[in-house]
Amino acid sequence: MPGTKNAFLRNTWYVAAWSHEIDEVGLLARTITGIPLLFWRDSAGRIVALHDRCCHRAAPLSKGRLEDHRIRCMYHGLLFDSTGKCVEIPSQEFIPPTARVRAFPVVERFNWIWVWMGETDKANDSLIPDTHYLDDAGWRGTPGYLHYDANYLLITDNLLDFSHLSYVHETTLGGSAKYAGLRPTVTNGDRNVRVERWLINDEPAPFLRNMKTWPGNVDRWNIYDVVLPGVMLMDSGSAPTGTGAPEGNRVDAAQFFGCQAVTPETATTSHYFFQQSHGFALDDPSVTENLRQSVIDGFQEDKDIILAQQRALDLDDITPMLAMRMDTALAKFRSLLNRAIVAENG
């Protein structure tokens, strides 16, 4: 899709980190959409996000140190407060009004740190998707992170086309080859693409064997939204055949909710944050651990194929990729994202 490969949507919220990555005394440097950022917590425990570049000689502030919840550049000693304003220059008394670095709007919600990379006056936290499953007493899950040496769109493509489950994840998350033959329902919203896929009366996926068993076949479902700029919210699970179908009541079900976020680091590298939570067997830590390992194994399979795909594209990005029916959801999302980027750039 033209316009998106090396461009990013700016006026949107990106997941920048897990809450546990930023403690009360530490610094976290992370690049988002090609812009280096520095995160820390102020005296009230709130997250601060500044451009990780001193306004003096462009030294990374992440090479500096915290002093009373302010950041000292360890090149020439400029001291910046949490708003990005320079409050001390050791070599002179006068502090120019332009001696400051950019501060970015940031929100901490349900264990994710969100940062707004665009125009500050347009930052609206009501646009942050609902990810309460990450921190909900009715669900159990384990936070995860992967770094990709690949363009972020290849990862969102993978999330939007679950026909790959039968082949990339044949012995893990996928199982039945019938899954690839299904035609999901795909619908568009203003900021999202929704995909609904059902597999009725088939054997359970291999990863469920260590978590839950049934005497017969099951109904499987994946119902998910991928929201701009690349956040996936997925209701999925399996239930005995006849109880999990769209009109069923999910009796004796293994229900999951996944929150995944693809955040571009640069045009060729990406951050991937994820947590798959289970809504059954909440008091059984072995289920949580088995789910964690299954997800890691499956996502490593995704990563292997996506990195191989990226290497092929690096060698030849001119030959077009052939569009097929299975690409409907990813094509809709790329079109939605491209329109948003074009509109933003005026």
Side-chain angles (χ1 to χ4, degrees), residues 4-322:
T4 53
K5 180 182 176 183
N6 295 311
F8 308 113
L9 189 62
R10 301 288 182 183
N11 287 325
T12 191
W13 294 98
Y14 286 99
V15 176
W18 285 98
S19 291
H20 68 259
E21 294 185 87
I22 309 173
D23 61 24
E24 300 300 327
V25 295
L27 300 172
L28 176 69
R30 185 153 282 164
T31 298
I32 309 291
T33 66
I35 299 173
L37 301 177
L38 175 63
F39 298 88
W40 78 87
R41 293 185 184 272
D42 66 14
S43 58
R46 295 170 300 215
I47 300 293
V48 176
L50 296 185
H51 193 191
D52 190 13
R53 174 183 166 128
C54 182
C55 59
H56 175 220
R57 302 302 297 170
L61 293 175
S62 55
K63 296 292 185 181
R65 69 183 179 211
L66 281 179
E67 296 181 7
D68 191 25
H69 301 283
R70 298 178 294 185
I71 186 71
R72 173 83 69 182
C73 177
M74 294 302 287
Y75 192 9
H76 297 96
L78 277 68
L79 183 67
F80 298 90
D81 66 16
S82 60
T83 70
K85 178 183 177 182
C86 181
V87 295
E88 181 181 309
I89 304 175
S91 61
Q92 65 186 61
E93 294 183 0
F94 174 68
I95 301 177
T98 54
R100 61 182 308 116
V101 294
R102 182 182 174 188
F104 291 78
V106 62
V107 172
E108 183 173 15
R109 186 174 295 173
F110 303 127
N111 294 335
W112 270 351
I113 307 299
W114 300 81
V115 64
W116 181 270
M117 300 304 299
E119 300 164 75
T120 300
D121 60 351
K122 293 184 178 180
N124 179 356
D125 64 6
S126 69
L127 296 176
I128 295 176
D130 179 8
T131 60
H132 74 271
Y133 299 91
L134 298 172
D135 185 28
D136 189 309
W139 298 83
R140 294 283 186 277
T142 306
Y145 170 83
L146 289 172
H147 182 270
Y148 272 78
D149 290 323
N151 182 270
Y152 72 111
L153 290 174
L154 297 181
I155 309 172
T156 56
D157 286 350
N158 176 271
L159 297 178
L160 283 153
D161 171 25
F162 271 20
S163 66
H164 78 272
L165 263 65
S166 298
Y167 303 102
V168 177
H169 308 301
E170 184 177 16
T171 62
T172 54
L173 304 178
S176 175
K178 294 179 183 178
Y179 217 66
L182 297 176
R183 293 182 63 179
T185 301
V186 180
T187 54
N188 273 63
D190 292 336
R191 294 179 54 82
N192 72 288
V193 173
R194 166 163 281 216
V195 181
E196 183 169 346
R197 186 186 294 265
W198 289 86
L199 179 59
I200 305 300
N201 192 20
D202 199 50
E203 61 186 18
F207 83 98
L208 278 173
R209 291 169 187 159
N210 293 327
M211 287 180 258
K212 191 172 179 61
T213 59
W214 297 273
N217 283 346
V218 296
D219 297 337
R220 295 177 58 187
W221 67 89
N222 291 100
I223 304 169
Y224 57 94
D225 292 280
V226 179
V227 185
L228 291 178
V231 180
M232 180 187 188
L233 309 172
M234 180 173 66
D235 165 25
S236 64
S238 298
T241 295
T243 67
E247 65 278 3
N249 54 14
R250 301 187 182 184
V251 172
D252 193 27
Q255 297 193 75
F256 304 95
F257 201 94
C259 296
Q260 303 173 36
V262 182
T263 297
E265 181 181 50
T266 67
T268 57
T269 59
S270 306
H271 306 289
Y272 182 37
F273 304 90
F274 57 88
Q275 180 172 309
Q276 184 80 344
S277 301
H278 59 98
F280 64 99
L282 298 181
D283 297 324
D284 186 348
S286 69
V287 171
T288 308
E289 174 56 23
N290 285 330
L291 179 60
R292 182 197 70 81
Q293 190 58 57
S294 295
V295 167
I296 291 295
D297 291 344
F299 287 0
Q300 188 59 54
E301 291 170 337
D302 282 326
K303 185 175 181 181
D304 289 345
I305 194 70
I306 291 171
L307 293 185
Q309 182 187 16
Q310 181 67 67
R311 287 192 291 271
L313 291 169
D314 289 341
L315 292 172
D316 176 11
D317 65 352
I318 297 175
T319 303
M321 291 185 280
L322 180 63

